[in-house]
Amino acid sequence: MSSKKRPIVSISKTTYEKILDVTAMMLWVVTYSCIFFFWNHIPDRIPVHFNASGEPIRWGKRESILIPSIIGTFVYLLLYTLSWFPHVHNYPVEITKENARQMYMTSRKMLTTINCVLTILISVGLLVTVTAGYGSAQSILWFLLFLVVSIMSIIIYYVCKFVRLMNDKG
């Protein structure tokens, strides 16, 4: 069913969603504040690419720390805005008046959760990048593994939730 014909249901954000939204917003404020206040302490050269062993293989100017921050902020704002319009999301079933509320809420919670986790991971990634610029020997592999496992776990959890909702109504 096309999203134009889907029912539009007004659903208030849950406490869970509000907590994640506020957490992500505050984390972006803290991230940009740290970049601003510690700008002169960030090394002139920071790693911008890592090999499979987690070692820096390409370096860039200090200003390159802004690129993931700006991209992350754009993605955050895009997902945050999209979460307010669940009737345009893609669903595995036809959305009806009967299932709209549950499907929309589940989809919105998934987007909000992914948004908050991405914000946390981007902020931690920026910290790892800056510390690697100081020659920190810690590997970035743990971070990349955590990134993939976190996002995939959220998606799998919510896909299972969608399947349960479809089976309950089916």
Side-chain angles (χ1 to χ4, degrees), residues 1-8 87-89 91 95 104:
M1 177 186 267
S2 137
S3 62
K4 293 178 185 175
K5 297 178 184 174
R6 289 184 181 154
I8 297 177
H87 62 281
V88 301
H89 300 179
Y91 294 93
I95 302 299
Y104 290 174

Side-chain angles (χ1 to χ4, degrees), residues 1-3 5-7 87 89-104 162 165-166 169-170:
M1 177 186 267
S2 137
S3 62
K5 297 178 184 174
R6 289 184 181 154
H87 62 281
H89 300 179
N90 193 15
Y91 294 93
V93 295
E94 183 176 345
I95 302 299
T96 63
K97 288 181 182 178
E98 293 76 31
N99 69 4
R101 181 171 292 282
Q102 283 188 305
M103 290 291 185
Y104 290 174
F162 277 119
L165 286 173
M166 290 177 349
K169 299 295 178 182

Side-chain angles (χ1 to χ4, degrees), residues 34-107:
C34 286
I35 290 171
F36 176 76
F37 288 116
F38 296 107
W39 184 257
N40 292 328
H41 301 288
I42 297 173
D44 291 333
R45 271 186 38 174
I46 60 169
V48 293
H49 196 269
F50 298 84
N51 66 15
S53 301
E55 301 163 352
I57 57 172
R58 195 172 70 200
W59 295 77
K61 295 180 181 179
R62 171 187 350 193
E63 291 78 14
S64 56
I65 197 81
L66 298 173
I67 294 169
S69 306
I70 292 168
I71 292 171
T73 302
F74 174 75
V75 170
Y76 167 78
L77 292 172
L78 181 68
L79 292 178
Y80 179 80
T81 303
L82 191 58
S83 74
W84 285 99
F85 303 99
H87 62 281
V88 301
H89 300 179
N90 193 15
Y91 294 93
V93 295
E94 183 176 345
I95 302 299
T96 63
K97 288 181 182 178
E98 293 76 31
N99 69 4
R101 181 171 292 282
Q102 283 188 305
M103 290 291 185
Y104 290 174
M105 188 171 289
T106 302
S107 183

Side-chain angles (χ1 to χ4, degrees), residues 146-163:
F146 186 72
L147 171 72
V148 171
V149 169
S150 297
I151 299 302
M152 291 307 297
S153 298
I154 293 166
I155 291 170
I156 290 169
Y157 171 80
Y158 280 101
V159 165
C160 290
K161 199 163 184 166
F162 277 119
V163 168

Side-chain angles (χ1 to χ4, degrees), residues 16 20 109-122 124-125 141-159:
Y16 170 79
L20 291 184
K109 282 182 180 180
M110 180 177 71
L111 269 184
T112 302
T113 304
I114 289 173
N115 208 8
C116 187
V117 169
L118 280 175
T119 300
I120 292 167
L121 293 173
I122 290 169
V124 170
L141 283 180
W142 65 267
F143 173 72
L144 295 175
L145 179 64
F146 186 72
L147 171 72
V148 171
V149 169
S150 297
I151 299 302
M152 291 307 297
S153 298
I154 293 166
I155 291 170
I156 290 169
Y157 171 80
Y158 280 101
V159 165

